[in-house]
Amino acid sequence: MWYSIILIANVVLIITIIVDRKLHEPMYIFLCNLCLNGLYGTAGFYPKFLMDLLSPSHVISYAGCFLQSFVIHSSSGSDLSILAVMAYDRYVALCRPLMYHSVMTTQNISLLVAFSWLLPLYCMFTNTMTIFQSKLCGSHIPKLYCSNSLIGKLACSTSIANITIAYFNIAIYLGHLFCLISSYMYLVRICLTSTQGRKKFMQTCVPHLISLFNFGFAVLFDLMYTRFGSSIVSQSLQNFMAIEFLLIPPVINPLVYGFKLTKIRNRIFGFIYKQKVSSQ
């Protein structure tokens, strides 16, 4: 049922943005990609999880385990990249409004979208390939889905290349996080100095901040699971911490943007109203 809600909420928002030409603006294009990424990431978990619920043996193939880990974690990286791109878009829109259309050209938008997808895919691909070549001395994954870090712990020997690539990827996304925090700190300082700035900030930046905090809590839960999941907390809480980023963000993102952003809300409600009138 929850996976159905994720599919419906994200697909409705994606179709709304694609169909309505008035929504073919940078902010909505990036939002569309955020929802697409939500569908991509959850597709790596829910179908296999639903099969496990109906199966007495919870087994996954060697290649399937790596594929699941790649999809889930590249989706997480893409989430952060897209949020960073959206923060940059809001920075230019609110702090450099006269330059907005010269900066956010079709070519630049395409480059930013490609960056937000290709960088996480590349980072996860290199990380996955280094572990894929390792010989494993175990087969039990103490989690509801496969994770490169847990697969790496099953390796018979420690790979220097894998450790190096893992820390390199962490450094890249810490850079993303620094850019995000810097952008929003600057936006808050600039926008709150005027009434009009506060209004624009509340209309367009609050959904981004909700998504960012949502993502931050999801990562925090995952880190807590990795650090404390095996001994301190109950199994039910362990499971929730492990999959929180696959439960809450994919639903919260389309709902928050759908209700908060006026153009999207009016477009969806207008369509529903037309359907009611035509049915009568």
Side-chain angles (χ1 to χ4, degrees):
M1 185 183 295
W2 191 257
Y3 187 40
S4 299
I5 293 171
I6 290 173
L7 291 174
I8 293 170
N10 284 277
V11 167
V12 166
L13 205 65
I14 291 167
I15 292 176
T16 301
I17 293 172
I18 292 174
V19 170
D20 193 344
R21 295 186 64 85
K22 293 179 181 178
L23 298 177
H24 292 182
E25 300 175 7
M27 179 173 68
Y28 301 108
I29 292 172
F30 299 141
L31 173 57
C32 184
N33 280 272
L34 187 66
C35 293
L36 282 170
N37 185 60
L39 294 177
Y40 164 67
T42 53
F45 171 73
Y46 284 97
K48 178 63 175 70
F49 181 62
L50 293 172
M51 289 173 61
D52 286 341
L53 292 177
L54 301 174
S55 172
S57 58
H58 304 155
V59 179
I60 188 169
S61 67
Y62 184 69
C65 190
F66 278 100
L67 178 62
Q68 184 181 58
S69 178
F70 174 80
V71 170
I72 290 175
H73 291 295
S74 62
S75 171
S76 298
S78 191
D79 252 348
L80 190 57
S81 295
I82 294 171
L83 288 171
V85 167
M86 294 173 83
Y88 174 70
D89 172 69
R90 290 301 86 202
Y91 164 77
V92 178
L94 299 179
C95 300
R96 302 286 187 271
L98 298 179
M99 299 173 57
Y100 185 75
H101 292 291
S102 61
V103 172
M104 287 296 169
T105 61
T106 303
Q107 182 180 4
N108 288 342
I109 293 170
S110 301
L111 289 173
L112 290 171
V113 169
F115 161 81
S116 62
W117 281 98
L118 295 180
L119 178 64
L121 291 174
Y122 172 76
C123 289
M124 253 339 273
F125 179 77
T126 54
N127 183 245
T128 302
M129 285 297 100
T130 55
I131 302 175
F132 189 75
Q133 296 171 358
S134 303
K135 182 181 178 181
L136 303 184
C137 291
S139 60
H140 176 66
I141 300 289
K143 208 171 189 178
L144 292 176
Y145 59 88
C146 290
S147 168
N148 276 2
S149 60
L150 294 177
I151 299 173
K153 290 180 180 179
L154 298 176
C156 299
S157 59
T158 304
S159 170
I160 301 299
N162 181 42
I163 294 173
T164 303
I165 290 173
Y167 279 110
F168 177 74
N169 291 347
I170 290 170
I172 288 176
Y173 286 101
L174 284 176
H176 279 54
L177 190 60
F178 175 77
C179 292
L180 269 165
I181 294 172
S182 300
S183 297
Y184 282 116
M185 286 178 64
Y186 189 78
L187 278 168
V188 170
R189 191 169 69 248
I190 295 297
C191 292
L192 297 185
T193 56
S194 66
T195 304
Q196 186 178 5
R198 283 195 293 271
K199 184 178 179 181
K200 287 183 178 179
F201 182 85
M202 293 299 294
Q203 285 179 340
T204 62
C205 290
V206 168
H208 299 315
L209 287 175
I210 292 173
S211 295
L212 180 58
F213 283 124
N214 194 19
F215 177 81
F217 277 116
V219 172
L220 179 62
F221 269 113
D222 194 49
L223 292 174
M224 286 172 63
Y225 176 89
T226 304
R227 178 66 181 86
F228 304 111
S230 60
S231 58
I232 294 179
V233 298
S234 66
Q235 184 63 50
S236 297
L237 186 55
Q238 288 181 45
N239 292 338
F240 177 76
M241 289 192 297
I243 65 172
E244 194 274 345
F245 74 101
L246 294 165
L247 286 171
I248 310 302
V251 172
I252 291 295
N253 287 339
L255 291 181
V256 166
Y257 285 103
F259 284 108
K260 184 64 180 173
L261 298 181
T262 307
K263 287 185 178 180
I264 293 179
R265 185 176 67 247
N266 291 344
R267 186 70 177 84
I268 293 173
F269 286 166
F271 175 78
I272 294 173
Y273 177 75
K274 287 181 180 178
Q275 293 297 314
K276 286 184 177 179
V277 171
S278 62
S279 63
Q280 291 174 358

